[in-house]
Amino acid sequence: MADTKIGAYICKGCGIGERLDTAQLAMIAQKEGKAQVVREHEFLCNSQGVEMIKNDIANEGVNHVVIAACSRRSKAETFNFDNVAISRANLREGVIWITPADDDKKEIVQEMAADYVRMGCAESLKMQIPAGNPSHGNNKRILVVGGGVSGMTAAIEASKTGYDVLLVEKTGSLGGWAAKLHKRVPNTEPYANPMDTGVADLIKKIESDKHIKVHLNSTITKTSGAPGQFSADISTESGGTATENIGAIIMASGFTPYDMNKLPHLGAGKSKDVVDQLGLEALAKAANGGPIKRPSDGKIVSSVVFVQCAGQRSDKEGELPYCSGHCCNTSIKQAMYFKDQNKDIDTVVMYTDLRTPGNGEDFYRSAQKKGVIFTKGVASEVVPGSELQVKFQDKILNEDAIAKADLVVLATGQVANSGVDIEQVPQDEPGKWAANKQSVLNMVYRQGKDLPLLKHGFNDSHFICFPYETRRTGIYTAGPVRRPMDMVQAIEDATGAALKAIQAVENASLGRAAHPRSGDLSFPTFRREGCTQCKRCTVECPFGAIDEDEQRYPQFNESRCRRCGTCMGACPVRVISFENYSVDTVGSQIKGVDMPDQFSEKPRILVLACENDAYPALDMAAMNHIQYSAFTRVIPVRCLGSINTIWVTDALNSGYDGVILMGCQKGENYQCHFVKGSEIAHTRMSKIDDTLKQLSLEVERVKTYEVAITDIQRAPALINEMAETIQKIGMSPLKF
Amino acid sequence: MTDLNKVMVEKYRNDFLKEVEANVEEGNWVKMCMQCGVCSGSCPLGPHWEHPPQEIFMMIRAGKRDEVLRSESMWMCTSCYNCIVRCPRELPITHIMHGLANYAHRLGIAPKLNPTRRFAKMFWNNITAGGRVNELKLSVGLYFMDGFASGIKKGLEMLPVGLGMLKTGRLNPFGLFSGGHCKGAGDIRKMIKKAKEIEDKRKGFAA
Ligand code: SF4
Ligand code: SF4
Ligand code: SF4
Ligand code: SF4
């Protein structure tokens, strides 16, 4: 590659020219920043400005561009040039918008801007132009595991978009639980009556689609590889195994109904006339529009009670703590099976909160019109007998009461078919993988055979922010294995997951990262000679991207990597780096700051801010002209997890008076875009006190915060708090 | 038990909801309540009701016939329409409350001494007698509803209001003596009688 030639461009627009001495900045870029081409421009983002940069790239050999203008979050498209390394010095949001325009502040504001120019150039010097993952795969076929409604929909959607699909189903037929339903909850206007399940149509579509290959009676006995280059062993019940190559995987392994026999107090297992919702579907299917008969003696049912939330939303041991989301609508539908056949049948739905997602409210109203009675109450006991007695607490009338019925239906919940819990089950030694019957995917990843669980046994990485994304790149979940849901949601899910899988294979084929740094061409590499085989990177990578090779060295799977840099932050010997993001690119920025001496009364505060939430929060604070200390120097990081403690130690050693780390919310309700990054950083930083003590520094000088993107008041306040702290405890003695 | 009440109990057996649907004004709305409690929370008199509207609807569905019909609760409604405006299910709650009160009254099981019921009766007699309300007679009647002594007391309390109304011509001082009937009051009475016959027949009260 050609030698580095830095072009630094200083914008005078947006008030930068009025507030700052840009000529001085240009000088700094040239003298200290080693920029060979330096230009000021009235409005760098206009077509002339951009043309000017393009021209320098084409004709002057500029291959590293430093834009000293607005925040990197602004004009990202405008200042995007192919095959050059780009860094941004944030003079607008980072300097002039967060400082007062007073004359007596001019000096420190100019110093702030000058430092950002130094930092931009220093970063640029250490950057390399990312070339894209060289060992990427090109396979674009999609494997769908599970032949229920979710799986079938995902297969059809992917095929419609032009991708080949392999559909693997464990049982002998497609359709899953939906095929066992008499009818389904309506999904079209007027949302008033149960309707045909549509499963037969789906199956027909699959069977007539030549881009979808179906394997029945089959399971996955081995999964290895990475997006664009997965390999899966598909084994049939009879013992045959076929190895197939695919680009991405959609896991739609669905749910198992909660075992109602765990609810004997509600009569399950004690009376044949107590059934779960699927039990009722079987009865309705058998009746086929005629009167529904009860199992014990075949008597035509004349009264039925539906007990909602049976064994769900419960804090009792062995019961489900969550709501399965579909069961209220399902009971409403089932009550209609009775009412539509004979309006004189007494149907009572006993609920604590009727939850009818989607257009269920209309459906609920329709049931009320049909005369279904809804009673707000909690069933405590079902007494078996020829007439069942449901003892319950009426929550409105606040009294104990009894409802009598021929048949009782328990609305039990969904349990995810998520395979083995990799945190509970010990994993095989690398290289000694054996298929496990309980596992869905039988992955040969070092981190475990199945996908990490999020909550309550469901596979996802964030229910709201990143649905379908699991913590294994290129493998997506859809349907009730991801979170409890009904058919409408499962269909939406499957469509979403299919799209994700398509994005994954397309990004992989270009050697680029997938969500959330979609399109990123950089990837982590490590210097083998320096590695001590400590395994921290392998263990801490939130996405299981790093395996171990035969010699027990980390083996990076670039296509699985999300480019968070957590491995880079973890490595004690600092041998992991990206081309454009490394211990050096950030380290040189930290050291690039001009450090005033101890008696100058000009402290320096280093803020390492996560680029996903904290940095935007500071940008937005700037847009609202909320001010913070002009002694601050902010460096965006990919994720708090990428922070190597050496940066903090170096900063303190080189005289910074305070260091603030700002990352996303961690823990159970995390908002970290890389799931574990913020948490890992907090753990690492909990040990920083020892370092501070060794340096004879006050522990208040380093703070780690969880900052949300909405914290536009708080983030600047935290910085100002640090400035006050420094005023109290004094300047760092380590300046030289 | 009054005869009519017996008939109705026999006819609907345990299904009070059906009975309400068939006989109470707007009764077919009762099943549509989703028990959110907005009505009870919106009613200015809510805290004073033994069973606020939401509860009444639940009691109807739970078949608590006697508790509902003999209750004082629906007589508390002042027709402010707060609940109707707010009910997310658009139940005509006010009308149902009056419907229930009226039905209980027709069955002869409404609480005898309920002041609203007594006032309503007084109002009805007053207006149907003359085809228009005789305000003086009505208020005097209302004051003396609970006996002579308390009537005098209430009358004195209201004296300044009454005098004000006199001054502005809002109260006819001779109303107590003159009839104050509208023209053709007799015909109105006939019409009301006929209407009642039709309603009784339709609802099966005629028995
Ligand atoms: S820790 Fe992050 S950057 Fe490192 S390998 Fe894993 S996903 Fe990639
Ligand atoms: S963290 Fe660094 S030293 Fe440890 S195994 Fe990974 S690359 Fe090697
Ligand atoms: S506001 Fe309407 S829906 Fe809510 S409890 Fe009252 S009547 Fe029922
Ligand atoms: S109309 Fe009657 S029931 Fe409704 S809020 Fe007013 S007083 Fe209460």
Side-chain angles (χ1 to χ4, degrees):
Chain A
M1 205 180 68
D3 288 345
T4 300
K5 185 165 184 183
I6 297 180
Y9 301 90
I10 296 148
C11 178
K12 299 212 265 189
C14 291
I16 297 172
E18 285 104 74
R19 292 280 310 276
L20 302 171
D21 178 353
T22 48
Q24 189 236 4
L25 297 179
M27 187 96 83
I28 286 175
Q30 192 186 10
K31 291 233 168 97
E32 298 178 41
K34 312 245 161 40
Q36 281 140 289
V37 176
V38 181
R39 298 191 205 280
E40 294 169 58
H41 195 274
E42 292 302 322
F43 280 105
L44 194 58
C45 60
N46 72 13
S47 52
Q48 282 174 337
V50 175
E51 230 16 80
M52 173 180 84
I53 301 172
K54 279 189 181 154
N55 187 47
D56 285 350
I57 294 170
N59 302 320
E60 299 288 327
V62 167
N63 52 13
H64 283 224
V65 172
V66 179
I67 307 275
C70 39
S71 161
R72 56 159 63 192
R73 302 185 63 256
S74 183
K75 313 272 176 201
E77 302 281 300
T78 314
F79 297 131
N80 182 22
F81 311 102
D82 287 342
N83 295 320
V84 292
I86 301 162
S87 54
R88 305 276 299 255
N90 186 356
L91 302 184
R92 193 180 70 176
E93 287 86 342
V95 181
I96 62 164
W97 283 359
I98 53 100
T99 51
D102 312 342
D103 275 347
D104 61 336
K105 294 282 183 325
K106 230 180 156 93
E107 182 187 318
I108 57 169
V109 172
Q110 180 72 21
E111 283 172 4
M112 192 180 200
D115 271 349
Y116 277 130
V117 171
R118 287 186 191 102
M119 289 157 79
C121 293
E123 180 188 22
S124 190
L125 260 185
K126 299 283 179 186
M127 276 165 104
Q128 277 155 34
I129 302 161
N133 171 15
S135 50
H136 65 82
N138 286 318
N139 196 311
K140 294 190 181 175
R141 189 152 60 149
I142 291 165
L143 168 68
V144 178
V145 184
V149 163
S150 316
M152 288 195 291
T153 308
I156 291 168
E157 292 297 331
S159 158
K160 273 202 288 194
T161 322
Y163 293 81
D164 283 336
V165 178
L166 277 178
L167 180 58
V168 174
E169 164 58 36
K170 190 167 64 176
T171 70
S173 61
L174 295 172
W177 290 115
K180 299 192 163 47
L181 304 183
H182 173 46
K183 285 184 176 173
R184 60 167 291 184
V185 173
N187 68 348
T188 49
E189 282 285 350
Y191 303 101
N193 304 299
M195 55 178 252
D196 184 76
T197 60
V199 170
D201 281 350
L202 276 179
I203 296 177
K204 218 185 281 163
K205 269 191 198 159
I206 299 258
E207 283 170 350
S208 62
D209 189 329
K210 58 181 187 310
H211 294 291
I212 303 175
K213 197 169 148 204
V214 181
H215 292 256
L216 294 176
N217 296 312
S218 303
T219 52
I220 309 290
T221 44
K222 185 177 170 192
T223 305
S224 62
Q229 47 194 343
F230 283 112
S231 147
D233 285 0
I234 301 171
S235 303
T236 57
E237 231 171 304
S238 47
T241 296
T243 303
E244 298 275 4
N245 294 320
I246 59 254
I249 301 171
I250 297 170
M251 176 163 141
S253 44
F255 70 99
T256 304
Y258 176 79
D259 178 9
M260 72 163 181
N261 289 320
K262 291 184 190 162
L263 306 169
H265 62 287
L266 296 180
K270 288 188 176 167
S271 163
K272 282 185 180 168
D273 299 328
V274 175
V275 296
D276 62 7
Q277 290 184 324
L278 279 158
L280 186 84
E281 292 294 340
L283 295 179
K285 240 187 166 172
N288 196 22
I292 294 174
K293 299 184 187 122
R294 69 181 189 184
S296 64
D297 55 5
K299 172 181 179 288
I300 290 177
V301 175
S302 65
S303 56
V304 52
V305 171
F306 294 87
V307 177
Q308 296 311 107
C309 310
Q312 301 193 68
R313 301 174 65 203
S314 154
D315 47 18
K316 278 191 220 139
E317 179 75 28
E319 299 191 1
L320 306 179
Y322 52 86
C323 161
S324 290
H326 75 93
C327 5
C328 281
N329 277 336
T330 301
S331 286
I332 291 172
K333 173 192 76 176
Q334 296 186 336
M336 286 189 188
Y337 290 169
F338 293 95
K339 280 288 181 193
D340 288 347
Q341 194 270 322
N342 173 0
K343 67 177 173 27
D344 289 330
I345 298 174
D346 282 334
T347 50
V348 174
V349 177
M350 204 171 278
Y351 68 97
T352 44
D353 308 279
L354 211 65
R355 295 177 171 179
T356 53
N359 288 283
E361 204 57 26
D362 289 344
F363 195 43
Y364 172 18
R365 215 168 292 171
S366 167
Q368 286 179 302
K369 282 193 191 128
K370 290 182 183 187
V372 178
I373 298 292
F374 290 85
T375 296
K376 192 170 167 87
V378 180
S380 53
E381 192 188 342
V382 175
V383 186
S386 70
E387 191 175 44
L388 298 158
Q389 292 186 22
V390 183
K391 294 190 175 168
F392 71 103
Q393 234 262 319
D394 188 313
K395 286 289 181 192
I396 300 292
L397 306 179
N398 200 16
E399 60 183 23
D400 292 325
I402 293 178
K404 294 180 182 161
D406 290 338
L407 185 73
V408 170
V409 182
L410 303 181
T412 54
Q414 295 177 327
V415 181
N417 291 338
S418 47
V420 297
D421 181 350
I422 58 174
E423 308 224 335
Q424 302 301 325
V425 178
Q427 300 304 316
D428 303 319
E429 275 291 295
K432 296 187 186 153
W433 312 102
N436 174 327
K437 263 207 148 73
Q438 266 94 55
S439 170
V440 180
L441 294 179
N442 277 303
M443 293 152 71
V444 298
Y445 287 31
R446 182 192 187 278
Q447 293 79 5
K449 288 188 180 310
D450 278 306
L451 304 173
L453 304 178
L454 177 53
K455 228 180 197 177
H456 308 318
F458 290 92
N459 288 132
D460 203 346
S461 62
H462 198 291
F463 294 130
I464 297 166
C465 298
F466 342 117
Y468 330 121
E469 296 284 352
T470 70
R471 277 169 52 197
R472 298 293 177 256
T473 312
I475 307 179
Y476 302 91
T477 45
V481 66
R482 185 173 81 77
R483 64 167 179 74
M485 64 177 72
D486 63 16
M487 222 193 275
V488 172
Q489 293 172 24
I491 288 168
E492 253 172 41
D493 242 53
T495 313
L499 196 59
K500 283 281 175 190
I502 291 169
Q503 287 170 346
V505 294
E506 289 300 335
N507 270 322
S509 74
L510 296 169
R512 311 193 306 193
H515 164 98
R517 294 186 58 86
S518 185
D520 188 352
L521 285 169
S522 71
F523 57 92
T525 51
F526 83 116
R527 204 158 43 75
R528 203 178 167 93
E529 316 82 72
C531 171
T532 60
Q533 298 192 337
C534 74
K535 294 194 180 59
R536 274 188 216 171
C537 53
T538 356
V539 173
E540 291 195 0
C541 170
F543 304 101
I546 313 172
D547 286 328
E548 267 164 50
D549 66 13
E550 290 88 55
Q551 282 139 30
R552 308 228 142 206
Y553 279 105
Q555 182 172 33
F556 283 81
N557 287 275
E558 295 80 4
S559 320
R560 285 190 211 158
C561 165
R562 308 269 179 105
R563 281 70 167 167
C564 61
T566 299
C567 50
M568 178 173 117
C571 183
V573 288
R574 300 177 292 284
V575 296
I576 302 174
S577 62
F578 298 79
E579 289 138 314
N580 55 2
Y581 185 62
S582 64
V583 172
D584 268 359
T585 60
V586 175
S588 64
Q589 292 183 70
I590 294 173
K591 288 180 212 139
V593 166
D594 191 40
M595 188 61 64
D597 68 34
Q598 199 182 343
F599 310 102
S600 65
E601 288 184 22
K602 286 178 183 168
R604 290 292 177 253
I605 300 166
L606 174 68
V607 178
L608 296 169
C610 160
E611 67 180 9
N612 299 299
D613 277 21
Y615 201 72
L618 287 172
D619 270 1
M620 282 192 280
M623 287 173 207
N624 289 286
H625 295 273
I626 299 170
Q627 300 185 344
Y628 57 85
S629 167
F631 300 129
T632 313
R633 305 294 180 258
V634 185
I635 300 178
V637 294
R638 285 190 180 183
C639 171
L640 217 56
S642 70
I643 293 179
N644 196 300
T645 42
I646 192 75
W647 293 339
V648 181
T649 322
D650 276 359
L652 295 168
N653 266 323
S654 55
Y656 282 87
D657 303 279
V659 178
I660 304 175
L661 273 56
M662 291 185 180
C664 299
Q665 188 171 326
K666 61 181 172 57
E668 200 179 351
N669 294 314
Y670 75 88
Q671 286 185 3
C672 174
H673 291 52
F674 297 99
V675 187
K676 292 277 172 215
S678 180
E679 189 163 312
I680 289 170
H682 275 80
T683 314
R684 281 183 209 144
M685 292 309 291
S686 64
K687 295 164 195 139
I688 201 76
D689 285 6
D690 293 342
T691 316
L692 285 155
K693 277 186 202 128
Q694 275 167 19
L695 296 170
S696 310
L697 289 173
E698 296 80 356
V699 290
E700 294 94 312
R701 290 196 192 273
V702 180
K703 290 266 183 212
T704 310
Y705 293 110
E706 291 165 68
V707 171
I709 197 158
T710 47
D711 280 344
I712 60 172
Q713 306 276 350
R714 183 172 160 257
L718 293 172
I719 296 176
N720 291 335
E721 212 172 87
M722 177 61 86
E724 276 166 38
T725 304
I726 294 167
Q727 219 160 29
K728 251 180 257 150
I729 60 178
M731 305 279 278
S732 162
L734 298 182
K735 296 174 194 271
F736 45 89
Chain B
M1 221 184 244
T2 63
D3 287 350
L4 186 55
N5 192 28
K6 248 190 239 158
V7 172
M8 290 302 174
V9 169
E10 191 51 37
K11 185 166 168 197
Y12 293 101
R13 296 212 173 243
N14 291 323
D15 206 336
F16 183 38
L17 177 63
K18 268 205 187 108
E19 181 178 351
V20 168
E21 289 187 338
N23 299 301
V24 172
E25 190 186 341
E26 305 279 20
N28 55 344
W29 276 96
V30 171
K31 59 176 181 285
M32 298 307 290
C33 167
M34 64 170 183
Q35 293 296 315
C36 67
V38 164
C39 50
S40 307
S42 307
C43 181
L45 293 160
H48 305 291
W49 295 41
E50 195 191 353
H51 308 295
Q54 173 201 16
E55 222 171 283
I56 296 252
F57 298 145
M58 199 64 219
M59 289 164 78
I60 294 173
R61 295 186 200 169
K64 296 186 179 288
R65 185 177 189 275
D66 263 23
E67 281 102 315
V68 171
L69 292 177
R70 290 181 195 279
S71 143
E72 306 252 1
S73 289
M74 57 272 188
W75 295 96
M76 298 288 286
C77 173
T78 63
S79 310
C80 74
Y81 283 80
N82 253 358
C83 52
I84 289 200
V85 170
R86 292 186 180 168
C87 171
R89 278 294 173 85
E90 302 175 329
L91 266 76
I93 302 158
T94 317
H95 303 180
I96 304 171
M97 290 303 119
H98 296 325
L100 280 169
N102 182 259
Y103 184 57
H105 172 76
R106 295 293 297 272
L107 294 180
I109 55 174
K112 287 279 167 303
L113 294 176
N114 181 284
T116 318
R117 192 184 79 89
R118 287 162 68 200
F119 172 71
K121 241 181 115 176
M122 214 179 268
F123 181 88
W124 178 255
N125 292 340
N126 184 310
I127 197 169
T128 52
R132 73 157 67 117
V133 181
N134 182 322
E135 273 147 0
L136 199 58
K137 267 190 188 162
L138 185 65
S139 27
V140 168
L142 183 62
Y143 294 164
F144 289 88
M145 194 165 77
D146 295 327
F148 189 71
S150 82
I152 295 286
K153 202 173 145 235
K154 276 186 214 149
L156 286 174
E157 273 169 20
M158 294 301 285
L159 196 58
V161 179
L163 288 177
M165 285 172 75
L166 265 180
K167 228 197 260 167
T168 50
R170 293 269 162 187
L171 200 66
N172 177 3
F174 304 108
L176 214 43
F177 315 109
S178 74
H181 291 183
C182 70
K183 269 185 225 154
D187 292 340
I188 291 183
R189 281 197 290 273
K190 271 189 219 153
M191 278 161 67
I192 291 171
K193 196 168 162 244
K194 186 75 197 168
K196 187 167 182 293
E197 269 173 38
I198 296 170
E199 189 195 16
D200 283 356
K201 209 163 145 197
R202 178 164 63 80
K203 291 193 175 166
F205 291 169

